[in-house]
Amino acid sequence: MTMKGFDHGNRGIGVRNHQLILPSVVCSTRVSSRIAKEMDAITFAHQHGCGFIGNDVGRITDYFAALANHPNVSSTLIVGLGCETLQGNELADKLLSKNKSTNYLVTQESGGVQGTVDSGVAAAKELRTKYPTPQVVLPRLHLGIDLSNESPVVTDLVAALADVGVDVTISSSHKNSGLNFSDLMEAGVHVILSFPDSNQPASGFPLIPTINVASNSPLHLALKDDFDLFASSSVAEIIEKIYAVVNGEQTKVEVIGAGEIIAAREVRSV
Amino acid sequence: MSNQLTAFERSDGRWGLRNHVLILPLHSAFSATARKIADDSSGAVAVSHDWSGEVDGDFDRIVKTISGFAANPNNFATIFITIGTPNELAIIELAKKIGLGKFEVLNVAELGSMSKIADIGLQMANSLLKEAKLSQRISAPWSAIKLGQECGGSDALSGITANPALGVASDRLVGLGSSSVLGETTEILGAEHLLAARAITPEIGARIVETVARYERSINYEGIDMRGAQPSRGNIEGGLTTLEEKSLGAAKKAGSAQFSGVFEYADQVINPGLYFMDTPGHDTEQLTGFAAAGINIVVFTTGRGTPTGSAIVPTIKVATNTTMASAIPDLIDLNAGTIADGIATLTDVGGELFDLILEVANGKLTKAEKGLHHEFSLSRMYNTVIR
């Protein structure tokens, strides 16, 4: 099976071609969403970047860096406010050492909200022009499995994926899919196959297409339209769906635009 | 300008200064659907959050925050999006107990999918918005105003211009019978003894001191010295030198009235008077906690400038200095930098701010409202790495 990919330089070859508008602090999430909407780029809301201390500063900086360095990302525009703890320019420097297709801007130095949206759109366009993304063949797929719920199909599935040369990372540390997604993102997986807890709905992660597999729980049966696959799906059907998604088919949560990040913290905010 | 306050009277007698239809996801996975309904509607608002039903040490705090937010009197109605778990239904029950009158429940497990929720939710939101337009503002007593005081991105002028100007406006409102609440426990560290001395009883004074000490203990417990992280680097760039200097300036927001009590995070603010609430300094965790407490208008002083706002509570930005106010005008509602420029007195700007609070209470939109800045953050106490 040939898999389509996008050459994202040092980030690797991705299965999506997403520009990331990364708010480095909660205060710039709205500005980021305005830029992303205009550019048809990816962004997300979060509550981090300021009023935090201790290990969390490094933890969240590393988390954002992992997002920006993800293979599904074509280029990254960091949007900061200016006075926050997590400084956008330091994050940008960290990213630039690996990927030149990175830029950052700061609301307090860009004339306010409208000024930042305008310069943000211009900067995002410039990144796209300067760093075009060649379409290539994806040589090797890295699949992440969120095993929030036990599934009898997984053992056979992992064996079958190994046979066809797919790398697999399984995260089952949490009952919370969102936290497993974050672990899988940091591992750099191209696509996530999620088996959510039987009492949890289908959910997704920004940048990474997420295929949701239902269990036979009453909740999942009631929500079957939100799932891509079912408890009855065979190994062959699951693999077929994975290849379709790699080659561009949107998952149910991608269609809805769902995808929140859940980033863990050690210490309460100050 | 008319000196009469007008507001929307809710069925339980509380007063709203806005008439929002709020789309509230009770699970993080429905955040995108909630945003879509709000974006497609003729003016509903929505928030996103990262709680997905986990029951840990923060559960009660999260339930209290989300239910209080749903029940804020600035909401004409709240539409909940829920899976229907007992924990999510507990949030709706608590919101009703706080006083939420009009609400709808979109149960995903009954309706079958997020796309159906989006369709039905949109119809529901538009029909509630139509209904909301029919309700009228009526004359309201000053006790209808529940003011929250906030500062963020403080600089060397905060304690001389914007914060004391807010103090003047707050004193006047408290004198008229409004409620006014100072928060940001981490930002009065070092000034708590001065606030305690203004408490109406020694017990309340002792509680102010203990609330600050308790916060510091909860951070020290993690092996971190909070005093090392304050003032923040943005504050230092703005000219602040020490935590005490920052705190003395932050405390100026509360004017000179006596403190009538101390609230825990997101406790309901019901009676008139000046209060202290235990909140983080983190701007959006504080703002969300204020909204959850039933606070219906906020004044937010800023030295460096910030766009932050709430989906349901109008947030008035007051600049501490003219340089910033001129450089980023679309964030700032009032410039108190004129005090430092020698153009206006503290009394002048305090009076201007009082007038602006009344205008905004009566319906004038703030810059943050016009820009649709709807940040929402859940305040947690515990480590979430190990959950």
Short mmCIF file of all heavy atoms in Angstrom, two decimals, chain B residues 143-184:
data_model
loop_
_atom_site.label_atom_id
_atom_site.label_comp_id
_atom_site.label_asym_id
_atom_site.label_seq_id
_atom_site.Cartn_x
_atom_site.Cartn_y
_atom_site.Cartn_z
N SER B 143 -27.18 47.44 44.62
CA SER B 143 -26.76 46.10 45.07
C SER B 143 -26.74 45.11 43.90
O SER B 143 -26.21 44.01 44.02
CB SER B 143 -27.69 45.59 46.17
OG SER B 143 -29.02 45.52 45.68
N ALA B 144 -27.30 45.51 42.74
CA ALA B 144 -27.26 44.63 41.56
C ALA B 144 -25.84 44.48 41.03
O ALA B 144 -25.52 43.50 40.36
CB ALA B 144 -28.15 45.20 40.46
N ILE B 145 -24.98 45.48 41.32
CA ILE B 145 -23.59 45.41 40.82
C ILE B 145 -22.73 44.56 41.74
O ILE B 145 -22.65 44.82 42.94
CB ILE B 145 -22.98 46.82 40.67
CG1 ILE B 145 -23.64 47.52 39.48
CG2 ILE B 145 -21.45 46.75 40.48
CD1 ILE B 145 -22.98 48.79 39.04
N LYS B 146 -22.13 43.53 41.15
CA LYS B 146 -21.14 42.72 41.87
C LYS B 146 -19.84 42.82 41.09
O LYS B 146 -19.68 42.19 40.05
CB LYS B 146 -21.63 41.28 41.99
CG LYS B 146 -22.96 41.21 42.74
CD LYS B 146 -23.32 39.83 43.17
CE LYS B 146 -24.73 39.77 43.75
NZ LYS B 146 -24.96 40.74 44.84
N LEU B 147 -18.96 43.69 41.61
CA LEU B 147 -17.74 44.06 40.89
C LEU B 147 -16.57 43.17 41.28
O LEU B 147 -16.34 42.94 42.47
CB LEU B 147 -17.40 45.52 41.21
CG LEU B 147 -16.10 46.06 40.60
CD1 LEU B 147 -16.30 46.42 39.13
CD2 LEU B 147 -15.60 47.28 41.37
N GLY B 148 -15.85 42.70 40.30
CA GLY B 148 -14.61 41.97 40.56
C GLY B 148 -13.43 42.85 40.22
O GLY B 148 -13.44 43.55 39.21
N GLN B 149 -12.39 42.82 41.06
CA GLN B 149 -11.19 43.61 40.82
C GLN B 149 -10.07 42.68 40.38
O GLN B 149 -9.80 41.68 41.01
CB GLN B 149 -10.74 44.31 42.11
CG GLN B 149 -11.83 45.10 42.81
CD GLN B 149 -11.39 45.47 44.22
OE1 GLN B 149 -10.25 45.27 44.60
NE2 GLN B 149 -12.32 46.01 44.99
N GLU B 150 -9.42 43.06 39.29
CA GLU B 150 -8.36 42.21 38.77
C GLU B 150 -7.23 43.07 38.25
O GLU B 150 -7.46 44.16 37.75
CB GLU B 150 -8.94 41.33 37.65
CG GLU B 150 -7.92 40.45 36.96
CD GLU B 150 -8.52 39.21 36.31
OE1 GLU B 150 -9.76 39.07 36.30
OE2 GLU B 150 -7.75 38.38 35.81
N CYS B 151 -5.98 42.56 38.37
CA CYS B 151 -4.89 43.24 37.68
C CYS B 151 -4.00 42.19 37.02
O CYS B 151 -3.92 41.06 37.48
CB CYS B 151 -4.08 44.16 38.58
SG CYS B 151 -3.32 43.41 40.02
N GLY B 152 -3.38 42.56 35.91
CA GLY B 152 -2.53 41.60 35.21
C GLY B 152 -1.50 42.34 34.39
O GLY B 152 -1.81 43.37 33.79
N GLY B 153 -0.28 41.83 34.37
CA GLY B 153 0.79 42.52 33.66
C GLY B 153 1.06 43.85 34.32
O GLY B 153 1.10 44.89 33.68
N SER B 154 1.24 43.82 35.66
CA SER B 154 1.44 45.07 36.41
C SER B 154 2.80 45.68 36.09
O SER B 154 3.74 44.98 35.72
CB SER B 154 1.35 44.80 37.91
OG SER B 154 0.05 44.36 38.22
N ASP B 155 2.88 47.01 36.25
CA ASP B 155 4.15 47.70 36.07
C ASP B 155 4.33 48.69 37.21
O ASP B 155 3.54 48.71 38.16
CB ASP B 155 4.22 48.37 34.69
CG ASP B 155 3.28 49.56 34.56
OD1 ASP B 155 2.51 49.83 35.51
OD2 ASP B 155 3.32 50.24 33.52
N ALA B 156 5.38 49.51 37.10
CA ALA B 156 5.72 50.41 38.20
C ALA B 156 4.64 51.45 38.46
O ALA B 156 4.58 52.03 39.55
CB ALA B 156 7.05 51.09 37.90
N LEU B 157 3.76 51.71 37.47
CA LEU B 157 2.72 52.71 37.67
C LEU B 157 1.41 52.12 38.21
O LEU B 157 0.51 52.86 38.61
CB LEU B 157 2.45 53.47 36.36
CG LEU B 157 3.58 54.41 35.89
CD1 LEU B 157 3.21 55.07 34.57
CD2 LEU B 157 3.88 55.46 36.95
N SER B 158 1.28 50.79 38.22
CA SER B 158 0.02 50.16 38.63
C SER B 158 -0.47 50.68 39.98
O SER B 158 -1.64 51.01 40.15
CB SER B 158 0.19 48.64 38.72
OG SER B 158 0.46 48.11 37.44
N GLY B 159 0.46 50.76 40.95
CA GLY B 159 0.09 51.13 42.31
C GLY B 159 -0.12 52.62 42.49
O GLY B 159 -0.53 53.07 43.58
N ILE B 160 0.14 53.41 41.42
CA ILE B 160 0.04 54.87 41.53
C ILE B 160 -1.13 55.40 40.70
O ILE B 160 -1.74 56.40 41.03
CB ILE B 160 1.35 55.53 41.04
CG1 ILE B 160 2.55 54.99 41.83
CG2 ILE B 160 1.29 57.04 41.16
CD1 ILE B 160 3.89 55.33 41.21
N THR B 161 -1.47 54.68 39.60
CA THR B 161 -2.50 55.21 38.69
C THR B 161 -3.75 54.33 38.67
O THR B 161 -4.73 54.59 39.37
CB THR B 161 -1.94 55.37 37.27
OG1 THR B 161 -1.52 54.10 36.78
CG2 THR B 161 -0.76 56.34 37.24
N ALA B 162 -3.72 53.25 37.88
CA ALA B 162 -4.94 52.47 37.63
C ALA B 162 -5.50 51.80 38.89
O ALA B 162 -6.71 51.81 39.12
CB ALA B 162 -4.67 51.43 36.55
N ASN B 163 -4.62 51.21 39.72
CA ASN B 163 -5.13 50.49 40.89
C ASN B 163 -5.81 51.42 41.90
O ASN B 163 -6.93 51.15 42.32
CB ASN B 163 -4.02 49.65 41.54
CG ASN B 163 -3.65 48.44 40.69
OD1 ASN B 163 -4.28 48.20 39.66
ND2 ASN B 163 -2.64 47.71 41.09
N PRO B 164 -5.16 52.52 42.29
CA PRO B 164 -5.88 53.42 43.20
C PRO B 164 -7.13 54.06 42.57
O PRO B 164 -8.09 54.36 43.29
CB PRO B 164 -4.84 54.47 43.60
CG PRO B 164 -3.69 54.29 42.69
CD PRO B 164 -3.74 52.91 42.14
N ALA B 165 -7.12 54.26 41.24
CA ALA B 165 -8.32 54.80 40.58
C ALA B 165 -9.47 53.80 40.73
O ALA B 165 -10.62 54.18 41.01
CB ALA B 165 -8.05 55.08 39.11
N LEU B 166 -9.13 52.51 40.58
CA LEU B 166 -10.15 51.48 40.80
C LEU B 166 -10.59 51.49 42.26
O LEU B 166 -11.78 51.31 42.56
CB LEU B 166 -9.59 50.10 40.40
CG LEU B 166 -10.42 48.86 40.72
CD1 LEU B 166 -11.85 49.00 40.24
CD2 LEU B 166 -9.78 47.60 40.12
N GLY B 167 -9.64 51.76 43.16
CA GLY B 167 -9.98 51.86 44.59
C GLY B 167 -11.02 52.96 44.84
O GLY B 167 -11.97 52.77 45.61
N VAL B 168 -10.84 54.09 44.15
CA VAL B 168 -11.80 55.21 44.31
C VAL B 168 -13.18 54.76 43.83
O VAL B 168 -14.20 54.98 44.52
CB VAL B 168 -11.31 56.44 43.50
CG1 VAL B 168 -12.41 57.50 43.39
CG2 VAL B 168 -10.04 57.02 44.13
N ALA B 169 -13.24 54.12 42.65
CA ALA B 169 -14.53 53.68 42.09
C ALA B 169 -15.16 52.60 42.98
O ALA B 169 -16.37 52.61 43.23
CB ALA B 169 -14.33 53.15 40.67
N SER B 170 -14.32 51.68 43.49
CA SER B 170 -14.82 50.60 44.34
C SER B 170 -15.40 51.17 45.64
O SER B 170 -16.49 50.77 46.07
CB SER B 170 -13.69 49.62 44.65
OG SER B 170 -14.08 48.70 45.64
N ASP B 171 -14.68 52.11 46.26
CA ASP B 171 -15.18 52.73 47.49
C ASP B 171 -16.55 53.36 47.28
O ASP B 171 -17.45 53.24 48.11
CB ASP B 171 -14.20 53.82 47.97
CG ASP B 171 -13.00 53.22 48.70
OD1 ASP B 171 -13.05 52.02 49.07
OD2 ASP B 171 -12.00 53.95 48.89
N ARG B 172 -16.69 54.03 46.12
CA ARG B 172 -17.95 54.72 45.86
C ARG B 172 -19.08 53.70 45.68
O ARG B 172 -20.19 53.88 46.21
CB ARG B 172 -17.81 55.57 44.58
CG ARG B 172 -18.60 56.85 44.66
CD ARG B 172 -18.15 57.77 43.55
NE ARG B 172 -19.31 58.29 42.85
CZ ARG B 172 -19.24 58.97 41.71
NH1 ARG B 172 -18.06 59.20 41.15
NH2 ARG B 172 -20.34 59.42 41.13
N LEU B 173 -18.79 52.62 44.96
CA LEU B 173 -19.81 51.57 44.76
C LEU B 173 -20.18 50.90 46.08
O LEU B 173 -21.36 50.69 46.37
CB LEU B 173 -19.29 50.52 43.78
CG LEU B 173 -19.31 50.94 42.31
CD1 LEU B 173 -18.49 49.97 41.44
CD2 LEU B 173 -20.75 51.03 41.78
N VAL B 174 -19.17 50.60 46.90
CA VAL B 174 -19.44 49.96 48.20
C VAL B 174 -20.31 50.90 49.05
O VAL B 174 -21.27 50.46 49.70
CB VAL B 174 -18.12 49.60 48.92
CG1 VAL B 174 -18.37 49.17 50.35
CG2 VAL B 174 -17.40 48.47 48.16
N GLY B 175 -20.01 52.19 48.99
CA GLY B 175 -20.81 53.18 49.73
C GLY B 175 -22.26 53.21 49.28
O GLY B 175 -23.17 53.48 50.08
N LEU B 176 -22.49 52.91 47.99
CA LEU B 176 -23.85 52.93 47.45
C LEU B 176 -24.59 51.62 47.69
O LEU B 176 -25.79 51.53 47.44
CB LEU B 176 -23.79 53.21 45.94
CG LEU B 176 -23.41 54.64 45.52
CD1 LEU B 176 -23.03 54.69 44.04
CD2 LEU B 176 -24.55 55.61 45.82
N GLY B 177 -23.87 50.58 48.11
CA GLY B 177 -24.54 49.31 48.39
C GLY B 177 -24.22 48.18 47.43
O GLY B 177 -24.87 47.13 47.44
N SER B 178 -23.19 48.37 46.56
CA SER B 178 -22.77 47.30 45.66
C SER B 178 -21.85 46.33 46.40
O SER B 178 -21.39 46.62 47.50
CB SER B 178 -22.00 47.87 44.46
OG SER B 178 -22.78 48.82 43.77
N SER B 179 -21.57 45.19 45.74
CA SER B 179 -20.53 44.28 46.25
C SER B 179 -19.27 44.52 45.43
O SER B 179 -19.35 44.78 44.23
CB SER B 179 -20.94 42.81 46.06
OG SER B 179 -22.24 42.58 46.52
N SER B 180 -18.11 44.40 46.07
CA SER B 180 -16.84 44.57 45.37
C SER B 180 -15.87 43.55 45.94
O SER B 180 -15.79 43.38 47.15
CB SER B 180 -16.34 46.00 45.58
OG SER B 180 -15.14 46.22 44.86
N VAL B 181 -15.15 42.86 45.03
CA VAL B 181 -14.33 41.73 45.49
C VAL B 181 -12.90 41.85 44.99
O VAL B 181 -12.66 41.96 43.78
CB VAL B 181 -14.94 40.38 45.03
CG1 VAL B 181 -14.11 39.21 45.57
CG2 VAL B 181 -16.39 40.25 45.49
N LEU B 182 -11.97 41.81 45.94
CA LEU B 182 -10.53 41.75 45.63
C LEU B 182 -10.13 40.28 45.62
O LEU B 182 -10.56 39.52 46.49
CB LEU B 182 -9.74 42.50 46.71
CG LEU B 182 -8.20 42.42 46.62
CD1 LEU B 182 -7.67 43.29 45.48
CD2 LEU B 182 -7.56 42.86 47.94
N GLY B 183 -9.32 39.87 44.63
CA GLY B 183 -8.86 38.48 44.59
C GLY B 183 -7.35 38.43 44.53
O GLY B 183 -6.67 39.29 45.08
N GLU B 184 -6.81 37.41 43.83
CA GLU B 184 -5.37 37.30 43.57
C GLU B 184 -4.56 37.17 44.85
O GLU B 184 -3.72 38.02 45.18
CB GLU B 184 -4.89 38.51 42.75
CG GLU B 184 -5.60 38.59 41.41
CD GLU B 184 -5.29 39.85 40.62
OE1 GLU B 184 -5.17 40.92 41.25
OE2 GLU B 184 -5.21 39.78 39.40
#
